[in-house]
Amino acid sequence: MTEFDVEEVFTVALKAVKDAGEIIKEAFYKKKAVLTKSCAVDLVTATDQAVEKMLIGRIKENFPNHMFIGEESVAAGEKCDLTDEPTWIVDPIDGTMNFVHSFPHSCISLAVLYHKDIHIGIIYNPILDQMFTAKLGQGAFLNDKPIQASEETELGKSLVIAEYGCGWDIQTMESVLKNITALMNKVHGLRAMGSAALNMASVASGGADCYFQYGSHVWDIAAGTLIVREAGGICIDTEGGPLDLMSRRMICASSEKLALQIIPLLTPLILERD
Ligand code: IPD
């Protein structure tokens, strides 16, 4: 079995994410060449691909035995297999649509798992210079300062994030609209900011009280899951049970009490697993 030194891996991961941030910053306000993937609003740019390539290079150089799951590699046909080996799970730009429009709400999301436990989570918005980090059992941080999920437990006083997703199929659109309609007059406010990882970082740092989504992928939520939990929040399945990272559905919140008030209001969307 491969050795796993969390401090050593974290140091390499943090440096790689900072360097990836420079690539994103350099391209952010320029015109981008945009390609589509599964549909007309599922986008990829040369920057997504360049960041992912750079991160793969860093892993190979430093930890040749570690495994890798990345959004753009999977889009290009690589397998999405999560084993017990140390595995880096990467979204090179989460919030690609925002990036394309120079809307400053995009980030790099990187998690490192060992025996399927998330040991490291890093989410970095280089435009706003927000670096969220967590190591298993060691708390969560924003730019090195500890963060805490809110103490809100009441649905009626909660700020809830409900994403639109990036699909135009009828099933997805109906589920999104039903869920927004079901919640709209029961919460303080609803938001959709276009980056799953930054939504989770908002719950972890107390700015939002809950975020749920059907259709997210493991690379969107792996880092955020650890950061939310280390900040005192919860990440569970949208049916209320333990979270399965590959299930493409997740709800995170400041407390289980709050999540359990939202779950019965949701119309589920069944999707193929990662
Ligand atoms: C997307 C964003 C978006 C979420 C989608 C994700 P991408 O990730 O996180 O907020 O609604 O489900 O796929 O494609 O920008 O990396």
Side-chain angles (χ1 to χ4, degrees):
M1 185 62 77
T2 315
E3 267 180 49
F4 186 76
D5 177 336
V6 73
E7 293 304 331
E8 189 191 355
V9 177
F10 183 79
T11 303
V12 172
L14 191 66
K15 170 84 172 73
V17 167
K18 284 181 181 166
D19 292 348
E22 291 304 313
I23 300 176
I24 293 175
K25 265 205 279 197
E26 165 65 27
F28 198 75
Y29 290 106
K30 295 184 179 157
K31 193 161 171 48
K32 292 102 181 167
V34 182
L35 297 173
T36 58
K37 298 190 285 185
S38 62
C39 69
V41 287
D42 185 9
L43 310 180
V44 62
T45 69
T47 309
D48 297 67
Q49 289 162 341
V51 168
E52 186 151 324
K53 196 169 164 206
M54 184 276 272
L55 292 171
I56 293 172
R58 288 296 169 86
I59 301 164
K60 282 199 176 141
E61 199 180 297
N62 291 280
F63 307 104
N65 296 326
H66 287 193
M67 312 300 283
F68 179 81
I69 295 174
E71 176 173 19
E72 304 317 333
S73 306
V74 172
E78 294 279 324
K79 279 204 180 131
C80 186
D81 273 346
L82 182 58
T83 66
D84 281 343
E85 292 297 321
T87 304
W88 297 51
I89 300 186
V90 167
D91 190 339
I93 303 182
D94 184 55
T96 300
M97 180 65 79
N98 290 346
F99 173 74
V100 165
H101 291 270
S102 307
F103 181 71
H105 207 70
S106 305
C107 64
I108 301 131
S109 173
L110 187 158
V112 188
L113 280 65
Y114 186 40
H115 288 291
K116 300 194 180 84
D117 291 325
I118 314 166
H119 283 265
I120 291 169
I122 303 176
I123 293 172
Y124 181 41
N125 178 344
I127 311 307
L128 303 182
D129 196 24
Q130 295 175 320
M131 176 71 82
F132 297 88
T133 55
K135 286 178 246 174
L136 185 60
Q138 297 186 42
F141 300 85
L142 166 56
N143 295 341
D144 295 324
K145 294 199 174 73
I147 51 173
Q148 191 66 45
S150 81
E151 289 176 359
E152 193 51 67
T153 56
E154 267 184 64
L155 181 61
K157 291 188 180 157
S158 298
L159 190 67
V160 175
I161 307 179
E163 280 296 334
Y164 301 116
C166 47
W168 276 350
D169 61 290
I170 293 292
Q171 242 200 330
T172 306
M173 289 195 298
E174 274 180 7
S175 153
V176 166
L177 292 177
K178 274 185 187 163
N179 291 334
I180 289 175
T181 309
L183 286 167
M184 206 158 190
N185 63 352
K186 295 185 186 66
V187 298
H188 247 180
L190 281 177
R191 299 288 180 269
M193 294 183 295
S195 159
L198 288 172
N199 294 341
M200 297 183 87
S202 299
V203 172
S205 50
D209 303 302
C210 178
Y211 160 53
F212 68 90
Q213 191 171 351
Y214 295 96
S216 47
H217 291 277
V218 63
W219 46 82
D220 298 317
I221 63 166
T225 296
L226 182 66
I227 295 172
V228 168
R229 287 177 176 160
E230 289 294 325
I234 58 123
C235 286
I236 55 175
D237 183 69
T238 49
E239 301 279 302
L243 176 67
D244 170 354
L245 279 176
M246 313 300 268
S247 68
R248 310 217 32 216
R249 59 197 213 181
M250 182 281 314
I251 181 165
C252 67
S254 51
S255 66
E256 189 163 22
K257 190 174 172 196
L258 178 60
L260 293 180
Q261 291 165 71
I262 294 178
I263 286 170
L265 302 171
L266 300 179
T267 300
L269 177 66
I270 313 294
L271 291 158
E272 215 174 291
R273 295 166 60 76
D274 274 328

